[in-house]
Amino acid sequence: MPHKSALLLSTAILLGAQPLLAEEACAGLGEGAIWLGGGAQSSDLTTAPSYLEQMALVLGSTQYIGAFTLGEVTDIRLEAAGRGNGDPVIDLFDASGALIATDDDSGGNSDARIETQLEAGTYCVALRSFEDSPMTAFVRASRADQEALTEGYLDSHDGYSNDDSCTLSPDTPQIILGDMVSNSVAEAANYRITLAEPLALTITATNEDADPLITLYAEDGTYIEESDDFDGLNPRLSLVDPLDAGDYCLSVRALSDSSLPIDVLVTEYDPQAAALLAIKNGEMAPPLDGSYPVNDIGAVGSRQITDVTLGRDFSWIKFDVAQPGLAVVEAIGLNSGSDPELVLFDDLGREIARNDDNGDALDSFVAFRVNSGSYLAAIGNVGDMPDARIRVLIETYLPAK
């Protein structure tokens, strides 16, 4: 995101630290990224004597991006704690720029927290504000054996601890692959999953009014992975690497109302279905080979308007820019209940800008530098309103001569 580098560097200096930029980290996300440990070598969390932490400032729709490395397979914890009324959201990306996990409130008190095991490599954590409002927050990356920054959602609310293990017993209900089960947390908080052979899995829990949190453990209680908010408030675990044959314990918690039923489904991981879902959610750019519907509006002059009607899925617009300059894209809700979200990608599929609410308005706005070439705009609606009507305005500006 070219327009953010100066902002992030000046922010780091303003806050009293001058860490080195990690320009090559996480593909296109790395531009403007800052090494959490101050440099590449000191940002290896596997060997760091203590946690890595930075104070970050985000303004409006901007993001802070911190980079770290792992020398070997490591259980890690990523956290963000906002100051004042800040509500941080964190996204975890791998070296290719692919999204691994995202979280809003698992840290408790509106703080964000991701706990997972990662292979050796380079990773980035992106911090943004849930309301796209200015926010100062602490970002911490640590190993599981190091001090946590946040309480954990369920430690800060009466109920289960965020780090509770999941215990299997003869009475633990069994989940059969492909068969949905529906219970409240009060009725069933843990489920048994039995694999006869190694298998990659997708696990979902659905009921936004309950706000589910799912965590998978090995039979001996070893933590594997968790998910909070993936599709709205509904979590989704995509375990791409096959799990060994054996029994697993799935913990299901309700962060809102534990009396409401939560639909839980475990299926074999389908990479094509996962990619399609990411496209529908505006998280990954679709291929431009005609296999997914994209509205190609061609070359954009100084100003062009396109209207879209949305359901649950994002709608995609492809546009071409003839000369380098500045592009401004706005998504404006035309009917009551419309709350547009806007994501921009380049022709290589790299995310370059994202915005939900522009200031106090529900409409979305992004401005970014462009080169000559093709770009993709994904337009979604934050609410569940059917037939949300959104007007998309694209303007281009050439440098003064």
Side-chain angles (χ1 to χ4, degrees):
M1 304 180 191
H3 61 288
K4 295 189 302 188
S5 300
L7 171 64
L8 292 173
L9 183 57
S10 62
T11 299
I13 295 172
L14 175 66
L15 296 175
Q18 300 184 48
L20 297 175
L21 291 178
E23 297 288 1
E24 301 301 322
C26 307
L29 292 168
E31 188 164 354
I34 294 173
W35 290 112
L36 288 174
Q41 186 173 0
S42 55
S43 295
D44 186 348
L45 195 57
T46 304
T47 57
S50 182
Y51 55 76
L52 309 178
E53 185 173 276
Q54 293 282 340
M55 180 186 284
L57 171 67
V58 294
L59 300 175
S61 60
T62 63
Q63 296 183 92
Y64 165 92
I65 302 177
F68 64 96
T69 63
L70 296 175
E72 60 185 44
V73 176
T74 307
D75 292 325
I76 63 102
R77 182 192 304 113
L78 299 174
E79 302 167 278
R83 304 183 68 186
N85 295 321
D87 186 357
V89 180
I90 54 175
D91 300 309
L92 173 63
F93 298 89
D94 66 14
S96 71
L99 179 67
I100 298 174
T102 185
D103 184 77
D104 180 11
D105 296 330
S106 292
N109 304 310
S110 298
D111 297 332
R113 180 166 169 161
I114 294 172
E115 294 176 277
T116 188
Q117 184 181 88
L118 297 175
E119 301 287 337
T122 300
Y123 297 89
C124 289
V125 55
L127 168 72
R128 51 192 168 91
S129 171
F130 181 79
E131 299 291 343
D132 282 338
S133 56
M135 176 189 68
T136 302
F138 288 96
V139 179
R140 180 180 295 185
S142 60
R143 295 192 303 271
D145 62 319
Q146 294 172 330
E147 182 182 357
L149 172 67
T150 64
E151 295 181 51
Y153 184 96
L154 298 166
D155 281 338
S156 61
H157 296 68
D158 293 335
Y160 302 95
S161 165
N162 189 61
D163 294 323
D164 272 350
S165 62
C166 186
T167 304
L168 293 174
S169 72
D171 296 327
T172 304
Q174 179 90 34
I175 290 184
I176 306 301
L177 266 65
D179 291 346
M180 181 180 292
V181 296
S182 185
N183 293 295
S184 69
V185 170
E187 295 169 324
N190 299 334
Y191 294 92
R192 180 190 299 269
I193 301 172
T194 301
L195 301 181
E197 60 183 4
L199 202 64
L201 297 179
T202 295
I203 305 173
T204 60
T206 308
N207 187 338
E208 289 195 299
D209 291 333
D211 191 2
L213 167 70
I214 56 176
T215 311
L216 185 67
Y217 297 86
E219 184 178 14
D220 63 0
T222 301
Y223 170 89
I224 296 176
E225 194 167 342
E226 73 176 38
S227 176
D228 180 10
D229 302 331
F230 179 87
D231 183 9
L233 296 178
N234 294 321
R236 179 186 183 93
L237 276 178
S238 293
L239 301 154
V240 180
D241 295 325
L243 297 171
D244 293 334
D247 286 342
Y248 295 85
C249 190
L250 176 67
S251 165
V252 181
R253 304 292 184 253
L255 303 185
S256 180
D257 189 339
S258 61
S259 68
L260 295 177
I262 297 173
D263 297 333
V264 181
L265 179 64
V266 181
T267 59
E268 183 176 357
Y269 175 76
D270 182 341
Q272 291 184 335
L276 180 61
L277 180 62
I279 293 171
K280 289 182 176 181
N281 289 341
E283 297 164 352
M284 185 176 80
L288 298 177
D289 57 5
S291 59
Y292 193 88
V294 175
N295 180 15
D296 189 346
I297 63 174
V300 172
S302 60
R303 190 170 191 264
Q304 186 158 337
I305 295 174
T306 303
D307 289 350
V308 297
T309 301
L310 297 175
R312 180 77 173 180
D313 300 339
F314 276 67
S315 180
W316 290 86
I317 295 174
K318 174 180 175 291
F319 62 95
D320 299 324
V321 177
Q323 300 181 60
L326 178 72
V328 172
V329 183
E330 295 187 64
I332 303 161
L334 299 180
N335 55 340
S336 177
S338 297
D339 183 359
E341 180 179 2
L342 185 61
V343 192
L344 274 296
F345 295 81
D346 65 14
D347 59 351
L348 296 179
R350 296 177 297 196
E351 182 180 324
I352 54 177
R354 178 185 291 266
N355 181 251
D356 177 10
D357 300 330
N358 179 32
D360 295 330
L362 295 179
D363 298 332
S364 299
F365 173 95
V366 295
F368 57 102
R369 289 200 295 259
V370 292
N371 294 313
S372 57
S374 298
Y375 293 86
L376 286 162
I379 304 95
N381 191 52
V382 174
D384 290 329
M385 173 188 173
D387 301 325
R389 293 191 293 276
I390 311 294
R391 177 155 294 163
V392 181
L393 169 65
I394 304 174
E395 297 177 307
T396 58
Y397 299 87
L398 300 178
K401 295 182 180 180

